[in-house]
Amino acid sequence: MERRNKKTSIFFIFMLLVFCSSYAQNTNKQEALAHVINILEEQYHVQFNYAEDTIDGVFLQMPNKNLLFAEVLTFLESNTNLLFSKLSDGLILVKPKDDIMLCGYVKDKDNFQPLVSATIQTLKSSTTTDENGFFQIKIEDFAQPITIRFLGYKTVSKPYSEFLKSNCDDVFLVPNVQSLSEIVISNYITSGINKINNGSYEINFSDFDILPGLIDNDVLQSVQAFPGIMSLNETVSDINIRGGTHDQNLILWDGIKMYQSGHFFGLISMYNPQITHKVSILKNGSDVIYTDGVSGTINMQTERNINTEFKGNIGINLTDFNGFVDIPVGKKSSVQIAARKSISDFFKTPTYNEFFDRISQNTELENTTTITNTDKSFDFYDTSLRWLYKISEKDELRLNFIKVSNELIFNEKAIIDAVEKSRDSRLTQNSIAGALYYNRIWNNKLKTTFEAYETDYKLRAVNANIIDSQRFLQKNIVSESSIKLKADYKLNTRLAILGGYHFVETEVTNLDDVDVPLFRLLVSEVVRTHGVFSQVTYKSINNNTSINLGLRYNFIEKFSKSIYEPRLSFSQKFLENFTIDVLGEFKHQNTSQIINFQNDFLGIEKRRWQLSNNNDIPIIISKQISVGTSFSNNGWLVSIEAYYKNVEGITTQSQGFKNQYEFEKKSGSYQVTGLDLLLRKSIDRFNMWLSYSLMNNDYIFKDLEVNSFRSNFHISDAITIGTAYTDKNIKIAAGLNWHKGRPTTGPIKGDEIINNEVNFDATNSKSLEDYLRVDVSVLHDFKLGNKAKAKLGMSVWNVFNKKNELDNSYQTNNEVINETYQTSLGITPNAVFRLTF
């Protein structure tokens, strides 16, 4: 897409934001109580006395103008949690009611039977229903939502004002035939991060507080808060889950497999946090519906509820400006649109400069003694859309679309024969994807889902070599289509069966094209996979036992190969505060990323996707098992998990060697044993945590000179310490990240060079310096007028400006060894302002 078209689309989105904001303000019938009081004081010539925080956050409809004043006071008390008392003629005292109680009966909407042991929860208290479905709960805050949930039913969450309060009325829950999953540990690290009974973890951004160094909910930076998940080079495009490479992660955006992760070539996530509602992280024990991702799964989802009121926000930080709208289309449909654009076209911030310097290290962007690179520019944007349509009570349709673009351009200059010559080099990285989902609820037991998506990724580089008068064109293109049919059948409230079929077609194209001398290599391959899966889910009546047991069968057409993949997740609560988890899975994947040469694609995004050929590029197959236990009580959480992972079919090219094996093309495996530990303590508004990961990660390459040695991603010890303070309007977080230096291979001392080549020592026998980083962040929420809300935040990444060693390499030049380092981001500030309406 041309640059002017990108700007036009972004301009359209923001004009839409402004228009819809105005429309929403004119059509919303809810008014702030402060505004209602001002009108009533003028209309009835009275004065209301109150404390500001008493009425803050209270909204209601404007009373009818024809009511008597006594009737107005009754109306106000019925629609708020406040008392309006007459002190004298014309003076009204406003104060909170004492012990506001809500009661009711929770029942099944289809058969009207009471639901026993349903959970009713506010932010500060909770209760369960008795044998008649009856509950009673104290309401501390009129504005906060009350949540009612029961296993196998859709959760209800709404404020006190939306419940009928004259009697203990019935509250009906709708049966949900989806998986029988529930939260077993809430606030796992901080608010909004929860552990689910199938062994996965969930980040709910609507309840999310704050993490050190983050102020704008970067999706893929947030997942690195979990023990066992990190990025050794500080990018979201190289996330390592339990010692695996990034290409071994299955990354889904609303069910669409994505082959690109970041903007700025990995320094920030390309998934707009304003439209991403929650993220599920599975390190092991994934459901049978998932294929690929032999190391782990990161599943991002947009909101699944239809919004009936306009919502939106606009924001700016030191890398981009962005906007989001959620527009109701009638009562059965809503559209969410999110857009983001880099601000580098207008001005360059310290954050932009630090990011640009980071991606330029050891690449074609750096100047040499004969070449000068000028006019460097970088631009990115993304656009996301989700349309949800409730066709009927039983039928639902969802459409998704995402487009992402990164573009780097610079001018290469050199003096040749006393004449200055120049040519442009550029690198573009783009993704575009769309999906269709149709859900049908046949009855309170059976639900079917149809899913189809198309995802395309393209990496393109033009490297202009002035000295040799050469143009080098490279392309890496992935095009994937998927169709999935699945059925959920709930036998009863404790047992459910899942089954389905999944077809995936993946095409990968690689191009290397040189004009002088003429050379062109174009390779395009296709792999089609058929998958059939089935899974049984069991949940005990007392909610203490949860089992998911499934099997996935895969048939790869091209190789006539069958692969069976059992999956297991088991969770058992005992002694009230303890939980034990057992997880296991077999998985495979047909795609991987490799590095042919360190200067491919300008040396910036040097990895390219390739397909397995079942020969020298094997199908990657993994086996994992883990056992863990956790204790949670009185604000304390202790969680520990031991695991074993074996991954076969990796290649030397996929592991990023920069030593004697850099140009080898061999296949092998790696084995990881490790331990993930988390300690967390919550005290009032403070939250403190410490995570520790212990790992042993070894390669096995039978065709190399040395068969077994430490993995390039072996980090024996990693520690994260964090603390967060959350008050009504302010959030503060600080954290420390430390881990052992990654393995490296140096030359043999005293015999460093043989035949003008580096004489390397034993592979990965040395380590870089230990990594250490301290981050801080602060957010302040406040109101602008009666309806608009604003957020102002600041963060500092790497407060002490420590230049951590991320990677190194050795080269020879005239019998002299040169060692080069890739270093981390230095001190990197960021700031955000967001207006929500």
Side-chain angles (χ1 to χ4, degrees):
M1 182 179 291
E2 296 294 330
R3 189 180 292 269
R4 58 186 176 88
N5 290 334
K6 293 188 286 186
K7 293 182 178 178
T8 300
S9 64
I10 300 302
F11 174 77
F12 171 76
I13 295 299
F14 279 92
M15 290 299 296
L16 184 64
L17 280 168
V18 174
F19 169 77
C20 292
S21 174
S22 174
Y23 172 80
Q25 292 177 2
N26 291 329
T27 58
N28 194 338
K29 296 181 181 180
Q30 293 286 319
E31 301 284 354
L33 180 57
H35 177 66
V36 173
I37 286 176
N38 290 337
I39 294 177
L40 294 177
E41 286 179 337
E42 294 182 5
Q43 181 179 350
Y44 293 98
H45 306 289
V46 295
Q47 178 181 338
F48 289 81
N49 285 355
Y50 53 85
E52 289 289 342
D53 58 352
T54 300
I55 67 170
D56 187 36
V58 180
F59 292 85
L60 73 164
Q61 291 182 349
M62 182 69 67
N64 192 304
K65 293 182 179 180
N66 298 323
L67 293 178
L68 298 175
F69 186 62
E71 294 173 328
V72 169
L73 295 183
T74 302
F75 174 85
L76 294 176
E77 289 189 351
S78 299
N79 289 275
T80 68
N81 63 333
L82 303 173
L83 287 174
F84 294 78
S85 305
K86 271 190 174 184
L87 298 182
S88 61
D89 290 341
L91 185 62
I92 310 299
L93 176 64
V94 183
K95 64 178 183 178
K97 294 179 181 177
D98 296 328
D99 292 340
I100 306 168
M101 303 298 293
L102 175 69
C103 62
Y105 294 86
V106 180
K107 297 181 179 180
D108 185 303
K109 186 178 180 180
D110 292 338
N111 56 29
F112 303 102
Q113 293 299 309
L115 299 179
V116 181
S117 298
T119 301
I120 298 86
Q121 188 174 19
T122 67
L123 291 182
K124 296 183 179 179
S125 60
S126 64
T127 187
T128 57
T129 55
D130 62 15
E131 64 274 7
N132 298 313
F134 177 78
F135 73 92
Q136 182 172 284
I137 191 169
K138 180 180 178 181
I139 307 302
E140 302 90 350
D141 190 335
F142 175 74
Q144 295 296 335
I146 301 162
T147 302
I148 302 178
R149 60 168 60 94
F150 187 72
L151 181 65
Y153 290 77
K154 292 184 178 179
T155 298
V156 171
S157 184
K158 55 185 179 180
Y160 173 76
S161 59
E162 295 185 16
F163 285 89
L164 296 176
K165 301 174 284 293
S166 57
N167 297 301
C168 295
D169 292 293
D170 294 336
V171 180
F172 294 104
L173 298 187
V174 178
N176 187 356
V177 296
Q178 296 180 0
S179 60
L180 306 178
S181 61
E182 70 168 17
I183 295 172
V184 292
I185 299 176
S186 59
N187 304 331
Y188 186 76
I189 295 176
T190 188
S191 179
I193 300 179
N194 306 309
K195 185 176 181 181
I196 312 301
N197 62 349
N198 63 2
S200 67
Y201 302 89
E202 181 182 276
I203 303 177
N204 189 329
F205 287 110
S206 62
D207 297 329
F208 191 65
D209 271 346
I210 191 171
L211 286 172
L214 302 179
I215 50 175
D216 223 6
N217 293 349
D218 188 294
V219 177
L220 296 183
Q221 291 285 6
S222 299
V223 303
Q224 297 178 47
F226 295 93
I229 303 178
M230 66 172 63
S231 174
L232 294 184
N233 64 1
E234 293 188 337
T235 67
V236 298
S237 60
D238 199 3
I239 295 175
N240 314 113
I241 299 180
R242 288 179 170 172
T245 52
H246 183 76
D247 59 338
Q248 295 171 4
N249 302 329
L250 173 61
I251 297 179
L252 300 172
W253 183 78
D254 254 355
I256 306 172
K257 182 178 179 180
M258 304 302 297
Y259 285 87
Q260 180 182 348
S261 302
H263 286 310
F264 244 118
F265 302 105
L267 292 178
I268 58 177
S269 170
M270 74 177 200
Y271 304 102
N272 197 312
Q274 305 308 314
I275 200 172
T276 305
H277 178 63
K278 66 179 181 180
V279 183
S280 297
I281 300 98
L282 300 93
K283 295 187 277 188
N284 188 10
S286 57
D287 285 349
V288 292
I289 61 173
Y290 299 118
T291 186
D292 293 342
V294 296
S295 273
T297 301
I298 300 173
N299 183 20
M300 293 164 278
Q301 296 180 19
T302 57
E303 191 174 3
R304 292 294 185 264
N305 295 322
I306 294 175
N307 184 38
T308 57
E309 295 182 356
F310 173 88
K311 295 190 298 183
N313 66 67
I314 54 175
I316 185 171
N317 55 47
L318 296 187
T319 59
D320 60 81
F321 60 88
N322 51 79
F324 166 79
V325 289
D326 190 346
I327 308 169
V329 183
K331 295 182 179 180
K332 295 185 176 183
S333 176
S334 68
V335 177
Q336 291 186 344
I337 302 172
R340 181 166 47 167
K341 173 74 169 62
S342 62
I343 61 176
S344 55
D345 284 350
F346 307 99
F347 50 87
K348 293 178 173 56
T349 65
T351 305
Y352 172 90
N353 293 333
E354 189 67 33
F355 281 5
F356 199 93
D357 291 343
R358 167 67 176 79
I359 67 171
S360 301
Q361 293 180 35
N362 306 325
T363 69
E364 297 288 332
L365 277 167
E366 292 189 326
N367 295 327
T368 67
T369 55
T370 57
I371 297 174
T372 303
N373 295 319
T374 60
D375 301 327
K376 303 174 185 178
S377 66
F378 176 77
D379 178 56
F380 71 81
Y381 73 89
D382 61 68
T383 304
S384 311
L385 178 144
R386 186 234 63 188
W387 176 52
L388 201 60
Y389 177 45
K390 190 76 172 178
I391 301 172
S392 68
E393 284 295 321
K394 295 181 178 293
D395 300 273
E396 184 177 83
L397 186 70
R398 187 175 89 245
L399 289 176
N400 290 94
F401 173 80
I402 184 171
K403 180 172 175 56
V404 182
S405 178
N406 288 259
E407 183 178 54
L408 170 69
I409 304 174
F410 64 95
N411 186 265
E412 187 174 308
K413 295 180 180 179
I415 305 297
I416 301 176
D417 297 331
V419 178
E420 183 181 80
K421 295 186 178 182
S422 67
R423 292 178 69 176
D424 282 345
S425 293
R426 70 174 59 211
L427 177 65
T428 58
Q429 188 181 33
N430 304 314
S431 290
I432 184 169
L436 168 69
Y437 302 86
Y438 172 67
N439 295 324
R440 166 74 178 177
I441 299 176
W442 298 89
N443 49 51
N444 62 354
K445 293 182 178 294
L446 178 63
K447 172 187 174 181
T448 57
T449 304
F450 170 81
E451 305 176 7
Y453 72 73
E454 172 68 27
T455 181
D456 295 294
Y457 166 80
K458 184 176 182 179
L459 179 65
R460 182 180 186 273
V462 177
N463 189 349
N465 188 330
I466 294 290
I467 302 299
D468 297 328
S469 298
Q470 182 187 78
R471 186 270 299 145
F472 185 20
L473 170 65
Q474 292 184 293
K475 293 182 181 180
N476 178 223
I477 301 171
V478 181
S479 180
E480 182 171 288
S481 304
S482 169
I483 295 176
K484 184 186 294 182
L485 296 168
K486 62 178 183 177
D488 295 88
Y489 186 77
K490 188 173 67 173
L491 296 171
N492 50 53
T493 58
R494 300 184 300 277
L495 192 64
I497 299 175
L498 165 70
Y501 166 77
H502 189 192
F503 170 76
V504 181
E505 178 184 88
T506 307
E507 180 181 10
V508 176
T509 302
N510 280 290
L511 171 67
D512 291 288
D513 187 296
V514 181
D515 59 352
V516 180
L518 188 62
F519 172 82
R520 180 180 175 86
L521 177 63
L522 176 65
V523 179
S524 184
E525 297 178 304
V526 178
V527 169
R528 298 179 182 91
T529 304
H530 302 267
V532 179
F533 52 86
S534 181
Q535 180 172 287
V536 177
T537 299
Y538 170 78
K539 185 69 179 292
S540 65
I541 194 169
N542 58 6
N543 296 340
N544 287 340
T545 305
S546 174
I547 302 174
N548 289 334
L549 181 63
L551 178 67
R552 182 183 180 100
Y553 167 73
N554 305 279
F555 178 75
I556 305 174
E557 280 187 11
K558 189 173 184 178
F559 315 130
S560 297
K561 186 177 181 65
S562 296
I563 300 176
Y564 294 88
E565 298 174 344
R567 313 280 175 86
L568 168 69
S569 67
F570 167 76
S571 178
Q572 176 67 53
K573 295 181 182 177
F574 63 99
L575 298 180
E576 188 175 357
N577 299 313
F578 289 86
T579 304
I580 186 170
D581 299 295
V582 179
L583 306 173
E585 68 176 23
F586 285 26
K587 293 184 84 174
H588 87 285
Q589 66 181 61
N590 301 317
T591 54
S592 60
Q593 283 185 305
I594 64 168
I595 299 174
N596 284 332
F597 300 97
Q598 293 296 326
N599 62 349
D600 278 351
F601 298 96
L602 304 180
I604 297 172
E605 181 52 89
K606 62 194 75 172
R607 297 167 300 173
R608 65 175 76 198
W609 289 97
Q610 69 171 8
L611 277 171
S612 300
N613 60 16
N614 203 34
N615 189 8
D616 59 322
I617 308 174
I619 298 168
I620 303 175
I621 296 176
S622 71
K623 300 174 183 178
Q624 289 196 67
I625 188 168
S626 60
V627 178
T629 186
S630 59
F631 167 81
S632 179
N633 186 39
N634 195 29
W636 279 102
L637 170 65
V638 180
S639 177
I640 186 169
E641 185 175 19
Y643 62 89
Y644 167 79
K645 178 168 73 171
N646 180 73
V647 179
E648 299 179 351
I650 64 171
T651 63
T652 50
Q653 289 177 293
S654 69
Q655 300 302 299
F657 285 107
K658 294 183 179 181
N659 50 33
Q660 60 266 51
Y661 300 136
E662 180 175 352
F663 302 110
E664 294 284 350
K665 296 183 179 180
K666 307 296 182 182
S667 62
S669 64
Y670 71 88
Q671 293 182 354
V672 186
T673 54
L675 190 74
D676 291 339
L677 171 69
L678 177 71
L679 303 177
R680 187 260 292 154
K681 173 61 177 175
S682 298
I683 306 175
D684 295 330
R685 297 181 176 90
F686 284 93
N687 199 46
M688 295 160 284
W689 66 91
L690 181 151
S691 69
Y692 172 69
S693 293
L694 174 69
M695 179 198 299
N696 184 70
N697 189 351
D698 291 325
Y699 286 135
I700 299 174
F701 287 100
K702 294 181 180 179
D703 294 329
L704 293 180
E705 182 180 358
V706 178
N707 299 144
S708 181
F709 49 90
R710 288 195 304 173
S711 164
N712 296 338
F713 305 96
H714 168 85
I715 300 297
S716 60
D717 303 276
I719 295 175
T720 299
I721 301 173
T723 183
Y725 171 81
T726 303
D727 204 348
K728 184 176 183 181
N729 297 318
I730 193 167
K731 301 173 183 178
I732 303 172
L736 178 147
N737 291 269
W738 173 90
H739 63 72
K740 286 282 192 179
R742 70 183 302 173
T744 186
T745 307
I748 297 176
K749 289 186 178 181
D751 193 16
E752 291 86 357
I753 300 175
I754 295 180
N755 297 327
N756 201 31
E757 291 186 358
V758 180
N759 185 25
F760 284 103
D761 203 347
T763 308
N764 288 345
S765 57
K766 297 180 175 59
S767 298
L768 297 177
E769 291 182 356
D770 290 357
Y771 180 96
L772 179 66
R773 191 186 80 238
V774 175
D775 309 318
V776 297
S777 52
V778 58
L779 286 170
H780 174 54
D781 298 315
F782 56 97
K783 291 188 175 182
L784 291 176
N786 292 328
K787 297 179 180 179
K789 296 180 181 179
K791 178 174 74 172
L792 183 65
M794 290 187 63
S795 68
V796 180
W797 181 282
N798 196 1
V799 172
F800 299 116
N801 198 31
K802 187 178 187 303
K803 288 293 184 179
N804 291 292
E805 298 175 358
L806 303 179
D807 204 353
N808 72 332
S809 61
Y810 296 89
Q811 299 84 29
T812 59
N813 185 13
N814 296 326
E815 298 294 327
V816 176
I817 283 189
N818 296 319
E819 182 180 8
T820 58
Y821 285 94
Q822 183 184 54
T823 57
S824 66
L825 286 169
I827 183 170
T828 307
N830 201 1
V832 63
F833 174 76
R834 184 167 305 283
L835 180 64
T836 303
F837 41 84

